[in-house]
Amino acid sequence: MTFKQRMEQLRRAHALDAESSSSPMSTSMTVDAEPSFAIPPDHFLAQQGKATAGYHAQQSAEAGPSSPSRASSSRLSTSPAPSSDGLDDIARFLSSAGPLPTAPSAATTAPSLSSLPDTSTLAGADFDIDVRSGFLPPQAPLSRIPHSLHESVWERFLDGAREVGLAINGGGAAVDKQHRRRCRAWRRAIREEMPVMEELSDKMRQDIRFARRGHVVLTFLAHYYLHSQPQPSKLARAMHEAQEKASTNQAASSSSWLASALRWRRGGEAASSSTAPLCAEDIADAASLHSESLGHYASRLPASISVPLLALSHQLDLPPILTYADTVLWNWTFINPSAGLTPGNLRIVETFSGTESEHHFFLTSLLIELQGVAALGLMRASLDECFVADELARRRVAQYLQRLVGVVGELEQTLKDVRKACDPATFYWAIRPWFRGGDAAPDGGRGWFYPSSREEEYSEALQPRLFTGPSAGQSSLIHALDVFLDVDHAGVKGHVAPPAGHGGGQQQQRKGPASAERAKGEGNEDGTFMQRMQLYMPGQHRRFLTHLQSLAAAADEEERAQLPEEAMDIDLDSEEKRPEKHYPSPIRHLAQSCPNAATHPLPKAYNAALSSLRSLRDEHMRVATLYIVSQARRPPPPEYAPLLEDQEDYARTVAKTLQPQEAQAIVEGAKEMEKEQAGPVGTGGTDLVKFLKACRRRTDEALLTAGP
Ligand code: HEM
């Protein structure tokens, strides 16, 4: 649909509706076609290129058990950055995803919703947004893959993860050796027993609810598998490398390690019966311990997880990593199925830690999504009025914005209430580390390996891929509010920061050298992050945001008047023909262009909505400070303190079997490694605070102020 056609359509609708419409649910925004998604050249992909630097240094430890000879002391030094394959990866993922399965229909919605008017076809069905549930599916997501499908084996492994009680990095002091051994057995079973599914069932390929559940289960398995492994032992790795260097016979070297591991197994776990025969399970466990101590599996997903995860991620247009959609949007069910989609009737299905704190953490976001449905309705109604842009429209928009202030206030209250049942120390030590992606410390953010077949599992040619773990920063709702109110995280629109004690209501200037400069250099940390987070949203939601942005591109009346006739026929949904100029959002434009700005309610209401968003961000900063910054400054509670007992103990036992000159080389190697890996351990939250402040500042910058 062209801009002219759209105007016509809305003018007609408005004429019919002029005096009667006051409910935002009764208005609509039709969506015609999905714009194609293109990754801009200055996108975070450039950053990812930097992040891959030095991964070769890690490769020696990650080469996999079938290729122990790859570890060599020369690789302890940092190698040049590899090509940015991880970047191409996400681009490939997001631009080449196949056709999406159809979104669940409104007919399948929970019973209590059926009394509401079904305007979903008018609102955002193309973008998988429902007028009653917003970015949440209107129907409870599938909680389990049924037994009849061969993919149900994934569910059994997920059950197993809970039964053995996997703990972050092998667990703290409370986790005993037997427990660690059970956890190693679970990981070994994932590698060796879980089948590699090259072919997904028809149900999984054709029904989006099944595909989503598949993605949830596989990403939980992936994060369980990688993050439950103990940190590789520096001493063990140094010893291994020194021994390999000293040995001319690879096979002899490996077998002597296995012999040492077995000796350790005997001595460490059954000192009184050290001559007791070892069973096959003991041998397998000793081999697993050996490989894990060296970090062979630390960043390498087994084919049994990676192969189907890659396929489902393509299908869902998502990266192959745990996302906000997996932990929140598709991770809930009804407490009472007949009571429907109400705040008190929702329960989270999957958590890593099984704690009430984690349940409440996810639930908080879920409730915010649900409360946000009202905000989406108000945004939609306001945008419709913007196309008409007469005095009546302005007054209506002012009312909608006032109501939006109330809704955002409710979001803030819900966020504040996260404290009621989510313990900050538990969050920081026992929950958050499960979310880390391949781009995060402590392993330096060198990416994860995703084999696409069994053969590729330990291939040396495989390149690591860098993806970020889940964050509520991937909530399309908050991004939509930003786009709607013209909060410009990229800093390209040239909003001018308001002076302290700003007031609204007058004509806003738009110019931008100062902001444009900031956008290029420091101060744009939020822009890059926010753009990047959009790539982790379900494809249809991401396209919705692109569509919202495209409305801004066509809304400036003055600009439009100067355009030649043919420019009015541009396809609003076409990325290619979109003007390069950065236009204000339709709402901002409407507020800016009020003839009697000082007294008109619209600029005031627009600023009030922005202030409520700023206040939400203030609260978010307080929450982030309590849950992250403050916790990072304290030592971990004993139950979460990392314990490397097994690995170090093992390494020391093996060391006793070595010649003195080998032992010397090992000590040197370990020291080197220590230095190399020390790096900046933690910033004490400085970067985080800086980033969140930047997001807040951008919100302030959008406020309308008196122009010169
Ligand atoms: C205990 C609760 C929470 C904590 C500790 C927390 C922490 C964080 C952190 C550390 C970031 C920085 C980016 C990152 O590392 O992911 C962030 C960003 C963000 N979070 Fe949260 N968050 C919490 C709850 C929420 C909730 C419930 C929402 C809304 C659904 C939310 C929305 C956002 C958004 C939109 C961003 C991007 C920055 C911005 O727009 O201001 N957060 N959060």
Side-chain angles (χ1 to χ4, degrees), residues 482 485-489 495 498 526 588 609-615 617 692-703:
D482 278 337
L485 291 173
D486 218 30
V487 176
D488 171 25
H489 291 290
H495 295 158
D526 56 332
R588 181 182 183 80
L610 276 166
S611 299
S612 68
L613 192 56
R614 188 219 149 96
S615 178
R617 288 204 154 105
L692 294 176
K693 277 188 177 163
C695 289
R696 196 175 59 176
R697 193 188 63 229
R698 294 294 189 201
T699 315
D700 284 344
E701 283 176 356
L703 286 163

Side-chain angles (χ1 to χ4, degrees), residues 364-638:
T364 299
S365 293
L366 182 64
L367 295 179
I368 285 180
E369 293 296 331
L370 192 57
Q371 287 169 324
V373 176
L376 286 173
L378 291 164
M379 287 190 234
R380 198 174 56 243
S382 305
L383 286 171
D384 277 358
E385 299 295 341
C386 284
F387 273 100
V388 180
D390 58 9
E391 182 51 22
L392 175 63
R394 286 197 171 93
R395 294 204 172 259
R396 279 183 182 166
V397 173
Q399 282 174 10
Y400 295 150
L401 288 173
Q402 286 298 354
R403 284 160 64 182
L404 188 65
V405 171
V407 176
V408 177
E410 285 166 20
L411 306 187
E412 183 182 331
Q413 185 57 47
T414 304
L415 178 61
K416 200 173 185 169
D417 288 349
V418 73
R419 296 169 178 82
K420 284 187 177 167
C422 182
D423 172 60
T426 308
F427 173 80
Y428 187 78
W429 296 105
I431 299 171
R432 193 166 184 252
W434 289 115
F435 304 158
R436 281 194 304 253
D439 64 347
D443 61 0
R446 297 178 177 95
W448 292 350
F449 294 86
Y450 289 79
S452 59
S453 65
R454 183 62 100 187
E455 295 68 53
E456 223 180 37
E457 202 159 29
Y458 299 113
S459 156
E460 296 197 17
L462 206 56
Q463 296 291 307
R465 296 168 171 192
L466 283 164
F467 296 113
T468 303
S471 159
Q474 295 166 8
S475 162
S476 306
L477 175 70
I478 309 292
H479 285 245
L481 281 167
D482 278 337
V483 176
F484 174 74
L485 291 173
D486 218 30
V487 176
D488 171 25
H489 291 290
V492 292
K493 292 195 180 184
H495 295 158
V496 177
H502 48 75
Q506 292 187 41
Q507 194 75 9
Q508 161 76 351
Q509 53 189 329
R510 183 183 64 208
K511 56 180 185 236
S515 286
E517 275 312 303
R518 263 203 304 277
K520 283 187 220 149
E522 73 72 41
N524 192 32
E525 47 282 273
D526 56 332
T528 320
F529 177 85
M530 297 304 264
Q531 280 180 340
R532 188 154 58 94
M533 287 301 101
Q534 292 194 9
L535 297 170
Y536 291 81
M537 296 171 185
Q540 283 156 300
H541 296 172
R542 189 168 61 241
R543 284 185 279 276
F544 169 72
L545 293 174
T546 310
H547 179 79
L548 261 190
Q549 275 151 0
S550 78
L551 294 179
D556 191 314
E557 244 178 305
E558 289 160 12
E559 300 284 344
R560 274 202 316 270
Q562 290 160 22
L563 289 175
E565 181 64 12
E566 61 271 22
M568 294 289 281
D569 285 327
I570 59 164
D571 181 349
L572 294 188
D573 296 319
S574 155
E575 292 273 353
E576 276 170 33
K577 296 182 201 160
R578 194 166 300 159
E580 284 187 4
K581 194 169 187 331
H582 299 289
Y583 294 92
S585 76
I587 294 296
R588 181 182 183 80
H589 179 260
L590 197 70
Q592 275 179 321
S593 59
C594 278
N596 47 349
T599 53
H600 201 283
L602 178 56
K604 252 193 213 97
Y606 174 75
N607 273 359
L610 276 166
S611 299
S612 68
L613 192 56
R614 188 219 149 96
S615 178
L616 175 67
R617 288 204 154 105
D618 280 340
E619 181 55 34
H620 183 261
M621 279 192 70
R622 283 190 286 272
V623 166
T625 304
L626 170 66
Y627 282 83
I628 296 173
V629 181
S630 306
Q631 304 307 316
R633 290 179 184 149
R634 295 182 192 142

